[in-house]
Amino acid sequence: MILNPLPPAPSSPPPSWYWSLPYAAVALFVATMAALLWLTHRQDTEEQRATLINDVLWMEQNLGFQFDRNNSHLTQLGPELLKGGTLSSTTQARLRQALDPESGLIRILWLHTNGEVRGAQPPYTDSHLVGEAGGTFPSSSAHRLSRSMGRPVYSDAYAVIENQTQFEVHVPIFDGGRYLGSVVGVYSLNNMISRQVPWWFSERYRVSVANNLGVEIAAKSRVSPLSSLAYEIPFEPPGHGLSLNVTAYKSEVRWIPLLLMGSLGVLAAAIVWSLWQLRRHMQRRQAAEQALRAEHAFRKAMEDSLNTGMRARDLKGRITYVNPAFCRMVGWSAEELVGLLPPMPYWAPEALERTLAVHEMVLGGNAPPQGIEIRLMRRSGERFDALLIEAPLIDSEGRHIGWMGSMVDVTEQKHAQELYRQQQERLQATARLVTMGEMASTLAHELNQPLAAISSYNTGCINMIGKGDMSPGELSGILEKIGKQAQRAGQIIRRVHAFVRRSEPKCEPVDLNAILREAVGLVEPDAQRRGVSIHQDLAEDLPTVAADPVMIEQVAVNLIRNGMDAMADAPRAQRNLHLGTRLQDGMLILSVADRGKGIPPEVAEKLFAPFFTTKEEGMGMGLNICRSIAELHRGRLSFEDNPGGGTIFNFSLPVQP
Ligand code: ADP
């Protein structure tokens, strides 16, 4: 098989893990990138936490400064306030300054040594103090503690109206070791938080204060942050279990890592998708290849098992493909045949001309659909007859790319046909002989009676004449009887003659060339079998002639067969039979020239005699009948020596009968 070989199948399919590799690589890549991003995120969070702690510490310090500053203000104001009498304008101014909203103080009280309130700025009523849980205002415990400790002491925080939480700082005032009384600064926890937390801090964090039970008692903002980033420190001073909670608002969305992560995800998904598609495509392709390979193997097996030879040729007649049956038939291998141009090595030299004509006919697209029989040659030189059926070769795109021929060896078949034909011929010949024999015996039998009667009448006559006792009347009676018997014999002969002649020729205008071609067609297979080449030299524009076409064809076939018989022992190259037609002297002449053994004079004498034959199976009636046919048509049958050896028979017919 040379045509379109398929590429070989891969030696082994890839292992199942082969396809997992790219997925694993993608997963590893995504995991690495996710880990990197997570690490970056953690680092960011740590940084944010460190910033938060720094900010909270700063805040704590800031608050501490403010408390210290307030305490020092209250300490300075103490002697003035506790001195008694009306407050000087300077003291009032300093009081106002100390009560600046920024300081967080909402009220300043000054107490007697026993803790009683001597004065307050701004003045207050008890209604302000709703909500204090079981305590006194100002806190007596803080007062006592500060007096005994000799330093500022902060009270518990306590709730007052409008959800306000307050606490106090008690600052004891001494004059050279003598306790003069205390100055109390009242803080509003809410004011403190809202005033002391700068704007930039509150933008980033939510600041709140919780009591010792963890309940929020003051906050800078009502909005609760979503972030988990928070820090808690004891709210010192005032202490007493208060804690300062700072929670970061949700940190700003970091778009770059997010985008990076998103695009990584999309990329990974795209890679996985395309890998999956690729795999599906490859699987489909593999399945298609497998199907193609199976189809190819099936077709090849089919072609190899065929007994019909197959051969493809391109438009120039070059062989492009032959199947094993073709190679077996001709004996050449596919490698030797493919690529060859005519003449092919399997063309029989003696039939070269005809084979080439058939080849041209096929390339011209005129091959008969029922096929052509040609004689071909095997590599061994043995000849064989093949039936060739040619069809156009059309490729997958519908283009005509050459010719596909199927070839069947019909030698055996033809041989069988020929044997059958010969047998039939022999049977017919025998039948004819038998018929003739029967006819002859019937004739003899029929004639025997009148002849015997004539003979006996004749003997009777002679005896009577010899005795001399015969009257003329008796003699004429006997002679009449003899005459009657002779007439009867004549009738018998005429009847037989009429039977033999059977019919008159049925004349019609005939074309001698056409009849000759028909005759050649009839004897062609026989000629091929005998290795005889028939050459025709037919004159053109011959007039038609009135004749019985069947009879004329019979003459032509007889003469051709005789010519071929005469060349039976001649060398193969010499077995040429030339047929010709011509118009000469108002006669149409059909000539058959062979290169056989010729006709010796002793044969020539009896050539046309019935039943004369020199052949084992001959009947010797052929030339006799031919001459009768010639005479029936008012023509002639003659023969002459062929100058090149052999004999020429001429059968002539008058153009004007
Ligand atoms: P048959 O062919 O049956 O013998 P024919 O009447 O046709 O009978 O031929 C009679 C004989 O004439 C043949 O047997 C043969 O000897 C001789 N003869 C006929 N044609 C030729 C020929 N072309 N060359 C030589 N001899 C021939």
Side-chain angles (χ1 to χ4, degrees):
M1 181 79 194
I2 286 177
L3 203 67
N4 301 334
L6 272 187
S11 52
S12 62
S16 55
W17 53 262
Y18 182 86
W19 277 106
S20 314
L21 272 182
Y23 293 110
V26 171
L28 197 67
F29 172 71
V30 171
T32 312
M33 292 314 289
L36 270 176
L37 281 170
W38 180 77
L39 280 175
T40 320
H41 176 71
R42 215 175 70 151
Q43 205 176 352
D44 277 358
T45 315
E46 301 258 305
E47 270 176 23
Q48 280 178 5
R49 188 162 187 77
T51 314
L52 170 73
I53 292 170
N54 278 344
D55 288 349
V56 171
L57 290 178
W58 176 87
M59 175 80 190
E60 187 189 23
Q61 206 179 27
N62 199 32
L63 284 171
F65 281 149
Q66 190 58 45
F67 282 123
D68 287 348
R69 209 176 300 128
N70 287 348
N71 287 351
S72 96
H73 276 149
L74 294 175
T75 310
Q76 283 170 15
L77 274 167
E80 295 280 332
L81 295 172
L82 294 171
K83 189 166 68 178
T86 50
L87 299 175
S88 67
S89 58
T90 325
T91 309
Q92 281 183 1
R94 285 174 70 187
L95 257 178
R96 275 197 301 279
Q97 192 189 352
L99 284 168
D100 184 83
E102 294 298 322
S103 68
L105 287 171
I106 55 167
R107 178 165 288 122
I108 296 174
L109 310 168
W110 46 102
L111 312 179
H112 286 292
T113 49
N114 60 1
E116 273 177 27
V117 179
R118 285 178 64 182
Q121 184 69 29
Y124 71 95
T125 59
D126 284 347
S127 62
H128 284 109
L129 303 173
V130 174
E132 189 194 5
T136 52
F137 179 76
S139 168
S140 50
S141 57
H143 173 249
R144 275 197 305 278
L145 198 60
S146 67
R147 181 178 169 180
S148 60
M149 289 177 73
R151 64 175 178 81
V153 167
Y154 290 85
S155 73
D156 266 340
Y158 51 87
V160 290
I161 51 162
E162 295 162 5
N163 284 339
Q164 292 285 328
T165 304
Q166 289 183 185
F167 62 91
E168 303 152 16
V169 61
H170 288 247
V171 183
I173 307 295
F174 294 92
D175 180 19
R178 188 170 64 91
Y179 173 62
L180 298 178
S182 292
V183 178
V184 177
V186 181
Y187 285 96
S188 157
L189 197 58
N190 303 64
N191 274 16
M192 185 79 195
I193 294 295
S194 59
R195 295 287 178 173
Q196 285 304 311
V197 178
W199 63 270
W200 60 267
F201 196 92
S202 54
E203 252 186 11
R204 279 196 222 160
Y205 310 107
R206 180 174 190 267
V207 183
S208 63
V209 178
N211 61 16
N212 51 358
L213 299 173
V215 180
E216 189 177 282
I217 49 178
K220 169 82 175 174
S221 157
R222 285 184 191 281
V223 184
S224 42
L226 296 167
S227 164
S228 57
L229 197 61
Y231 196 63
E232 181 183 322
I233 50 165
F235 190 20
E236 296 277 0
H240 297 288
L242 294 186
S243 59
L244 188 69
N245 294 319
V246 177
T247 312
Y249 286 117
K250 189 147 177 61
S251 55
E252 63 186 66
V253 183
R254 290 173 167 267
W255 285 109
I256 291 179
L258 262 184
L259 278 178
L260 200 65
M261 196 60 205
S263 39
L264 264 179
V266 171
L267 195 70
I271 291 173
V272 168
W273 184 82
S274 44
L275 269 173
W276 184 69
Q277 285 293 331
L278 191 70
R279 188 181 175 178
R280 268 188 53 185
H281 174 75
M282 298 253 321
Q283 278 171 341
R284 274 204 296 262
R285 210 189 141 122
Q286 267 175 359
E289 261 179 28
Q290 193 60 37
L292 196 66
R293 215 164 259 124
E295 170 85 13
H296 190 261
F298 170 70
R299 279 179 187 275
K300 183 159 165 41
M302 207 167 68
E303 278 171 22
D304 291 355
S305 60
L306 273 182
N307 276 330
T308 306
M310 306 285 286
R311 177 212 52 197
R313 287 182 295 180
D314 64 14
L315 292 170
K316 288 182 183 154
R318 189 190 305 275
I319 296 180
T320 54
Y321 163 72
V322 283
N323 76 341
F326 188 93
C327 296
R328 278 198 299 277
M329 243 180 248
V330 296
W332 275 272
S333 70
E335 286 74 18
E336 288 169 313
L337 291 173
V338 169
L340 289 188
L341 274 167
M344 303 301 175
Y346 50 82
W347 287 8
E350 69 274 9
L352 200 65
E353 223 174 284
R354 183 165 179 268
T355 316
L356 197 65
V358 168
H359 174 79
E360 297 294 336
M361 186 164 74
V362 170
L363 290 200
N366 301 319
Q370 72 276 12
I372 317 164
E373 259 185 38
I374 50 168
R375 170 147 287 216
L376 297 174
M377 183 175 77
R378 301 193 209 280
R379 196 170 201 165
S380 58
E382 186 193 344
R383 307 299 199 262
F384 70 101
D385 294 304
L387 176 69
L388 195 66
I389 300 175
E390 295 275 353
L393 190 62
I394 309 295
D395 74 0
S396 56
E397 287 162 20
R399 283 179 310 196
H400 179 203
I401 54 164
W403 302 95
M404 190 77 198
S406 67
M407 197 165 88
V408 184
D409 187 344
V410 291
T411 315
E412 288 300 316
Q413 195 185 334
K414 287 201 72 176
H415 187 58
Q417 277 176 356
E418 181 60 24
L419 276 181
Y420 177 75
R421 192 191 59 77
Q422 282 178 3
Q423 212 171 11
Q424 287 297 317
E425 251 182 24
R426 249 183 249 130
L427 271 175
Q428 279 172 11
T430 316
R432 276 201 302 272
L433 276 178
V434 169
T435 312
M436 282 195 169
E438 278 176 358
M439 219 164 68
S441 68
T442 311
L443 196 63
H445 179 73
E446 294 258 330
L447 284 177
N448 206 26
Q449 288 178 2
L451 286 177
I454 288 171
S455 172
S456 67
Y457 284 137
N458 191 38
T459 312
C461 258
I462 291 169
N463 287 340
M464 285 169 82
I465 290 169
K467 284 180 191 165
D469 59 350
M470 178 180 263
S471 66
E474 279 178 320
L475 191 64
S476 69
I478 292 171
L479 287 176
E480 258 176 44
K481 283 179 182 170
I482 288 176
K484 275 192 181 154
Q485 288 300 328
Q487 275 172 7
R488 204 181 137 203
Q491 272 175 354
I492 290 169
I493 301 277
R494 269 195 301 280
R495 225 169 56 221
V496 171
H497 183 67
F499 173 73
V500 170
R501 281 182 62 188
R502 272 189 308 256
S503 59
E504 287 297 311
K506 292 186 180 118
C507 288
E508 56 182 82
V510 295
D511 173 357
L512 192 59
N513 285 348
I515 289 183
L516 192 57
R517 281 194 206 101
E518 289 269 321
V520 171
L522 285 176
V523 297
E524 183 97 71
D526 199 16
Q528 279 188 13
R529 188 176 54 78
R530 297 173 185 219
V532 174
S533 305
I534 297 177
H535 307 273
Q536 301 181 43
D537 180 17
L538 311 182
E540 286 177 11
D541 303 327
L542 287 184
T544 56
V545 61
D548 184 325
V550 180
M551 286 183 175
I552 306 296
E553 189 181 89
Q554 198 181 346
V555 172
V557 168
N558 254 318
L559 294 181
I560 293 170
R561 284 238 158 90
N562 277 348
M564 292 199 296
D565 286 344
M567 293 188 290
D569 300 327
R572 209 178 180 98
Q574 200 185 304
R575 294 182 207 165
N576 291 314
L577 193 71
H578 287 268
L579 310 179
T581 51
R582 62 183 188 275
L583 181 64
Q584 194 181 314
D585 304 332
M587 301 287 269
L588 278 182
I589 300 174
L590 160 66
S591 65
V592 179
D594 64 67
R595 300 285 311 281
K597 53 188 185 254
I599 298 174
E602 65 273 15
V603 173
E605 285 171 20
K606 304 172 245 172
L607 204 64
F608 295 101
F611 303 115
F612 171 76
T613 179
T614 58
K615 302 167 196 169
E616 262 178 36
E617 292 176 354
M619 210 165 66
M621 286 301 288
L623 286 178
N624 181 273
I625 291 172
C626 287
R627 198 172 59 176
S628 299
I629 291 172
E631 285 167 358
L632 275 173
H633 289 84
R634 301 197 309 117
R636 279 194 64 210
L637 179 63
S638 61
F639 66 95
E640 56 187 309
D641 283 344
N642 192 347
T647 316
I648 303 174
F649 272 85
N650 292 310
F651 172 72
S652 54
L653 289 171
V655 177
Q656 298 292 331

